[in-house]
Amino acid sequence: MLLLAVDTATPAVTVALHDGDSVLAAESAVDARRHGELLLPAVDRVLAGAGVRLDAVTDLVVGVGPGPYTGLRVGLVTALSFGSALGVPVRGLCTLDGLAYAAGLDEPFAVATDARRKEVYWARYADSRTRLTEPAVDRPADLAGTLAGLPVVGAGGLLYPDAFPDARGPEYQSAAALAALAAEKLAAGGAVEGVAEGAVEGFLPPLPLYLRRPDAQVPKNYKVVTPK
């Protein structure tokens, strides 16, 4: 197996290649405004670093968010284009799950990423492999009571220390963690052993998880210009 993982749902543009046993190569760059510019060169460098060609890839995994509209689409469109060209499956994973896996905690905690507009995308976990709730978007102050006493992993926690006093890293998504989680799920047949009752598991369709409408809107009452 050669599994290529990409994620652009956070400010991190991150790529990794996994052979089913370990990560062969990985690269991440944090730049919220250059997802489209940075992703393909990063894929080229990761493949070159592992000494393989793109046509050797057998599986694709992409972070489906939640994340901001424009950045999130870059990773999804790229993964789907690769999948179509190579004829290999494209599987989605929640971006929050990758952060949870990278945190490696064996206790209840939450993951929160920056949703802008003074909000966070978040979910609760029983441990690093077991998500208990569907991803949601809320204001930090509204979550302070709900997540009281829990460590909060990710940039969303670090941005709002008043609401999340036990904020922890990693701050951004890592495709290396996403690839390792995906390889583990594939080895287990698409699920992970020891899933708690009510937990959300497995892969997702490679479709964007926006949770809200895009910032860009068609202006109201705009003037329509028609040819004479």
Side-chain angles (χ1 to χ4, degrees):
M1 178 176 74
L2 279 178
L3 183 151
L4 182 67
V6 301
D7 197 313
T8 58
T10 72
V13 178
T14 181
V15 181
L17 189 70
H18 199 287
D19 67 358
D21 294 317
S22 61
V23 174
L24 301 179
E27 181 171 319
S28 294
V30 177
D31 192 327
R33 298 182 180 274
R34 299 174 64 211
H35 293 86
E37 181 180 344
L38 296 175
L39 181 57
L40 288 178
V43 170
D44 286 342
R45 288 191 293 269
V46 165
L47 293 172
V52 301
R53 292 164 51 94
L54 179 61
D55 58 11
V57 169
T58 61
D59 294 89
L60 287 154
V61 169
V62 59
V64 300
Y69 185 78
T70 303
L72 178 54
R73 287 189 304 166
V74 172
L76 283 159
V77 170
T78 299
L80 289 168
S81 298
F82 285 164
S84 178
L86 298 173
V88 301
V90 182
R91 297 178 175 90
L93 278 177
C94 176
T95 294
L96 303 179
D97 291 356
L99 276 160
Y101 189 83
L105 297 176
D106 292 324
E107 60 182 293
F109 68 102
V111 173
T113 60
D114 183 18
R116 304 176 185 172
R117 303 184 191 175
K118 297 182 179 180
E119 293 179 330
V120 295
Y121 298 119
W122 69 280
R124 289 185 62 168
Y125 292 77
D127 55 50
S128 60
R129 291 173 173 82
T130 312
R131 177 157 50 88
L132 295 172
T133 65
E134 294 289 349
V137 58
D138 289 288
R139 291 185 177 275
D142 296 336
L143 294 173
T146 302
L147 303 183
L150 293 178
V152 178
V153 171
L158 296 167
L159 278 170
Y160 302 101
D162 290 343
F164 311 122
D166 190 3
R168 305 184 186 184
E171 185 173 3
Y172 297 116
Q173 172 69 303
S174 160
L178 197 71
L181 176 60
E184 188 174 294
K185 286 179 177 288
L186 287 171
V192 176
E193 293 181 1
V195 175
E197 182 178 357
V200 181
E201 54 159 336
F203 291 101
L204 300 170
L207 300 172
L209 186 60
Y210 292 131
L211 299 188
R212 67 185 183 200
R213 296 179 63 83
D215 292 335
Q217 300 288 336
V218 176
K220 296 180 180 179
N221 301 320
Y222 63 91
K223 183 178 180 180
V224 177
V225 178
T226 57
K228 295 182 179 179

